[in-house]
Amino acid sequence: METLYDVAVIGGGPSGATAAEQLARAGYRVALVDPADRIKPCGGAIPSRALKDFSIPESQLVSRAHGARIIAPSGRSVEMQIGDRGFVGMVDRATFDPWLRARAARAGAEPVTGRLIGLAEEADGCMALVVRPSRSSPGATDLDLILRARLVIGADGANSAVRRLAFPAAKKPRYVFAYHEIVESPVGETPEGFHPARCDVVYDGRISPDFYGWVFPHGPYSSVGTGTAVKGHDLRQATAALRRASGMENCRTVRREGAPLPLKAMRRWDNGRNILLIGDAAGTVAPSSGEGIYYAMLCGQLAADAVVDCLASGQAAPLKQVRRRFMREHGRVFLILGIMQSVWYRNDRLREKFVTMCADPDIQRLTWESYLDKKLTRRDPLAHIRIFFKDLAQLLGIPAAQK
């Protein structure tokens, strides 16, 4: 007899695996479909609170960063230390994503190794899914699998097959293309441009004309990469320049990865009946910073809650609440980060001023508090006012007041 799943989750990254795990723990029959044949290019940064919020053991961290160095086009740099507020945890998606999928399977989700190629609604309102098995999966055949599910969660990334098959072609988030190289970190005497407990963020039009470059520590390895929406910009050449500047030009390259990175949340994440998009498929990557793992896992939690309500009530209305709840909690942050990117990332003159601003103690404190707490801090309204006038002064070229 053909199995009818309560939910088919397409995509086993942080968002989909989180949703699948929680739904399986709630007693629902869940299929978790993932090709398990690629690693998403990702710096791997998560705030320290993510360990508690999503029950991530410290063993999943490949390193901890206790600060960042912000680098201007001129080469001038600003150190931003976190202090005692927390840390930036670093995960390697090559091991982190499979661990999340395995956790979902232990909770009861049924793994299906393959790629979604077809999606249709049947007369009874259930969804029929056509999945092409991955050739690398055990016992793989040339025969496509047909799955049936009451609801479908699309958590299959920026190039979401669920979105492509079930939503209008125009419903696609704006994105940059990201590329990075995982390289062996320097051993012994480390070069001047590298620190194993620091994230380097490079604002330089030669590296990225509209985003930034990065060097993030991954324990014995490092993620070195950049991103841009400008067609024709050579990301490999830019990454090579980053490696030279950080003293890793001759370090062994472990792997290279590239993929689109959405930077604007879609206006609608559900189809009003039985399909919900979350994570990168819904565009929930923070503008300006490109941070996505924390937000993806939060989407997974919110989606699981909504699907439980939807299945219990037989109504589709709870699906709409996922976007509403997410944007209520983080929409203001996304708006401010989007404005910041559109203003300060336009050219090297403004990037230079932006890095100068990053030296300000008020900006550093509020930046780390907002990143680590995942909300705009309100405990010091005067600091926000000071920052507003400092931003304005930088834009207008007004010299800073002498103290």
Side-chain angles (χ1 to χ4, degrees):
M1 184 176 180
E2 187 178 63
T3 299
L4 174 63
Y5 294 94
D6 295 306
V7 188
V9 180
I10 312 302
S15 197
T18 300
E21 180 212 352
Q22 296 203 7
L23 287 165
R25 288 193 188 282
Y28 292 96
R29 186 147 200 182
V30 180
L32 178 56
V33 180
D34 188 89
D37 62 355
R38 69 181 298 274
I39 304 167
K40 181 186 174 182
C42 177
I46 58 174
S48 49
R49 68 167 289 178
L51 276 67
K52 179 181 179 180
D53 289 358
F54 307 118
S55 301
I56 301 170
E58 293 208 19
S59 60
Q60 282 301 309
L61 299 182
V62 292
S63 65
R64 294 184 179 201
H66 298 285
R69 183 174 64 158
I70 314 301
I71 304 172
S74 65
R76 176 176 180 263
S77 65
V78 170
E79 296 280 348
M80 297 179 66
Q81 295 300 316
I82 297 176
D84 59 0
R85 302 182 186 95
F87 60 87
V88 179
M90 310 304 296
V91 298
D92 186 340
R93 298 292 293 274
T95 54
F96 186 58
D97 288 18
W99 178 83
L100 289 172
R101 291 194 290 272
R103 182 168 71 169
R106 289 194 300 272
E110 183 178 327
V112 178
T113 307
R115 190 180 304 277
L116 180 73
I117 62 170
L119 184 63
E121 186 170 352
E122 299 182 322
D124 61 359
C126 292
M127 300 301 298
L129 302 91
V130 183
V131 176
R132 180 150 296 163
S134 298
R135 293 187 176 181
S136 59
S137 62
T141 69
D142 293 332
L143 299 177
D144 294 336
L145 304 175
I146 306 297
L147 308 180
R148 296 183 71 243
R150 292 186 173 90
L151 295 174
V152 173
I153 294 177
D156 48 343
N159 284 326
S160 170
V162 176
R163 189 183 64 230
R164 186 172 64 251
L165 293 168
F167 288 76
K171 303 298 182 183
K172 184 177 181 180
R174 181 171 60 88
Y175 63 86
V176 300
F177 193 86
Y179 170 82
H180 80 155
E181 297 176 0
I182 296 294
V183 303
E184 290 183 340
S185 298
V187 295
E189 184 176 349
T190 57
E192 184 179 347
F194 174 82
H195 193 287
R198 182 188 67 205
C199 294
D200 283 357
V201 183
V202 182
Y203 294 101
D204 186 332
R206 293 165 294 186
I207 301 301
S208 172
D210 57 344
F211 199 53
Y212 65 83
W214 68 83
V215 179
F216 287 176
H218 281 198
Y221 306 103
S222 293
S223 165
V224 186
T226 185
T228 183
V230 176
K231 293 182 178 180
H233 185 72
D234 194 327
L235 294 177
R236 290 201 176 205
Q237 188 177 62
T239 300
L242 284 172
R243 290 180 61 168
R244 285 193 298 272
S246 58
M248 289 190 283
E249 182 178 11
N250 298 318
C251 293
R252 186 176 72 90
T253 302
V254 178
R255 63 180 193 264
R256 297 179 173 90
E257 297 147 0
L261 185 69
L263 290 180
K264 188 173 183 179
M266 290 178 59
R267 290 187 176 274
R268 184 165 184 175
W269 300 359
D270 70 287
N271 70 342
R273 298 186 306 282
N274 45 26
I275 298 176
L276 175 66
L277 299 176
I278 58 174
D280 282 16
T284 59
V285 175
S288 179
S289 69
E291 181 193 1
I293 296 176
Y294 182 92
Y295 296 116
M297 297 187 78
L298 175 63
C299 276
Q301 284 189 338
L302 297 176
D305 291 343
V307 166
V308 167
D309 291 343
C310 187
L311 291 170
S313 67
Q315 303 295 318
L319 299 181
K320 297 184 186 300
Q321 295 303 315
V322 178
R323 186 186 190 280
R324 289 174 184 170
R325 288 181 61 188
F326 183 92
M327 297 306 289
R328 186 163 58 241
E329 291 184 33
H330 301 286
R332 183 186 292 185
V333 172
F334 275 42
L335 174 63
I336 290 174
L337 290 175
I339 293 172
M340 189 179 85
Q341 180 174 347
S342 65
V343 171
W344 296 108
Y345 290 16
R346 284 182 292 172
N347 55 55
D348 279 352
R349 178 180 63 83
L350 289 170
R351 293 184 191 100
E352 197 75 37
K353 291 184 176 184
F354 174 71
V355 172
T356 298
M357 287 167 47
C358 290
D360 184 270
D362 286 329
I363 289 177
Q364 292 200 13
R365 176 169 59 83
L366 295 180
T367 295
W368 285 125
E369 287 178 357
S370 296
Y371 172 79
L372 295 169
D373 296 339
K374 281 292 162 277
K375 60 184 178 182
L376 290 175
T377 180
R378 293 184 175 88
R379 70 179 185 180
D380 189 355
L382 290 178
H384 289 280
I385 294 172
R386 289 194 297 269
I387 288 172
F388 171 77
F389 284 108
K390 290 169 184 175
D391 284 1
L392 190 61
Q394 283 289 342
L395 275 173
L396 298 178
I398 300 173
Q402 296 298 314
K403 296 183 178 180

